[in-house]
Amino acid sequence: MSASLPGNRELPASRYNLNTYWGRVKQSAELADPRTLLVSASGLENAKQLISAYKHGKITSMTPELWQAKKVVDSTLHPDTGQPVFLPFRMSCFVISNLVVTAGMLTPGLQTTGTLLWQITNQSLNVAINNANANKSTPLSTSTMVKSYFLAVSASCSVALGLNALVPRLNRLSPNARTLLTRLVPFAAVASAGALNVFLMRGEEIRQGIDVFPVLSKEEKSQKEKDGGEVQSLGKSKMAATLAVGETALSRVLNATPIMVLPPLILVKLQQTEWLRRRPRMTLPINLGLILTTSIFALPLALAAFPQRQAVDARTLEKDFWNRGGKDEKVEFNRGI
């Protein structure tokens, strides 16, 4: 994120209104734009230099070139560390990274071994993405990460195998209904284990708390720019961490819902058509196309459900933060993605 780069002058948070849902959708679409993955190391360095020039007052106003530089930096650098997020685990690579895994989980007629392998692969990817994009003010130990990984894998495999065994026994349902439920088993496994994965991987944040900062007024921001000082943390809040992790878990479920529900339901209908019956080899490319199309639209809609830089009333947190808020008694924190 551009906020992690040195300089006294803050860039505008976005060219869109982040107080509205659609403004956050547009901003999230920029963060998730896979074209930023093509930016070279020299291109990233040039973008960082442009932003640093603005933050040091050498560039007076935002330009299209500077907005593009901000887009590249925001989609590449972690907001807490200022270091590039490993490419496969960036939000801009989320659709690509998940495409093959999702297609594997949604493959019709998977046997037990295939179900286990794809669920393990999916949770491995989830662990990597959650860890790479988590709030870094509270580091996660390797032992906790490993334990969280195995718990999440166990949960997803148990749900998937349990429902796969249960659905065929629902004799009161019609064959078509059982087929639909079977296709939705991966969604139940992914949604439940995905939310659990977030809580497990970021549990240390809830136990120790995350950094909370006062919301500054325009005058205070201007004074900070002149003084050259940085906004100091008010301390670590466990309640802020619980809110941040809970919202992230919910956004994961919101993202998985259309991706894991719409393609299998549409594919079931298409497989009943004469055209696809005559061309069974088209099932896989059609499935991939459905997943890709749904993912492109679903990710920004899910990421925008909650602001990444969350501002709340100080009195909704621990008493230590009461009457210590900034503008309108508000404090803010990085929710993570």
Side-chain angles (χ1 to χ4, degrees), residues 51-265:
I51 290 173
S52 293
Y54 178 91
K55 296 183 78 171
H56 285 95
K58 296 177 182 178
I59 299 177
T60 57
S61 60
M62 296 297 291
T63 63
E65 187 180 17
L66 193 53
W67 279 120
Q68 179 62 26
K70 185 179 186 301
K71 174 181 175 179
V72 169
V73 168
D74 285 353
S75 62
T76 305
L77 303 186
H78 193 283
D80 294 329
T81 65
Q83 297 299 314
V85 176
F86 187 45
L87 190 147
F89 308 144
R90 297 174 192 169
M91 283 299 111
S92 52
C93 196
F94 188 92
V95 171
I96 300 171
S97 298
N98 276 270
L99 179 60
V100 175
V101 177
T102 305
M105 289 189 293
L106 294 179
T107 301
L110 271 184
Q111 300 302 312
T112 301
T113 302
T115 299
L116 288 174
L117 287 176
W118 283 117
Q119 289 296 333
I120 291 171
T121 303
N122 181 58
Q123 290 309 316
S124 300
L125 182 60
N126 281 345
V127 165
I129 291 174
N130 289 336
N131 182 58
N133 293 281
N135 184 301
K136 296 299 184 182
S137 63
T138 304
L140 184 68
S141 66
T142 303
S143 61
T144 302
M145 190 186 307
V146 172
K147 183 170 64 176
S148 300
Y149 168 71
F150 282 110
L151 285 172
V153 167
S154 300
S156 65
C157 291
S158 298
V159 172
L161 294 179
L163 290 178
N164 275 336
L166 174 64
V167 171
R169 298 177 184 177
L170 301 176
N171 296 322
R172 294 183 179 181
L173 298 178
S174 67
N176 285 339
R178 287 201 296 271
T179 299
L180 288 176
L181 287 178
T182 300
R183 297 291 180 88
L184 294 179
V185 165
F187 164 67
V190 167
S192 56
L196 177 63
N197 196 318
V198 174
F199 278 99
L200 291 173
M201 288 299 298
R202 298 179 60 180
E204 206 65 24
E205 296 176 31
I206 297 176
R207 287 186 286 273
Q208 296 186 26
I210 58 176
D211 286 326
V212 172
F213 303 87
V215 174
L216 302 182
S217 64
K218 289 184 179 179
E219 294 76 16
E220 290 171 327
K221 288 180 181 179
S222 298
Q223 190 60 45
K224 283 287 182 184
E225 291 175 6
K226 292 178 182 178
D227 298 340
E230 294 184 357
V231 181
Q232 297 299 314
S233 169
L234 298 175
K236 291 185 180 292
S237 168
K238 296 179 181 179
M239 295 179 71
T242 302
L243 178 62
V245 175
E247 289 182 347
T248 302
L250 181 55
S251 71
R252 287 285 194 275
V253 175
L254 293 175
N255 183 54
T257 301
I259 297 172
M260 302 297 292
V261 172
L262 293 180
L265 294 183

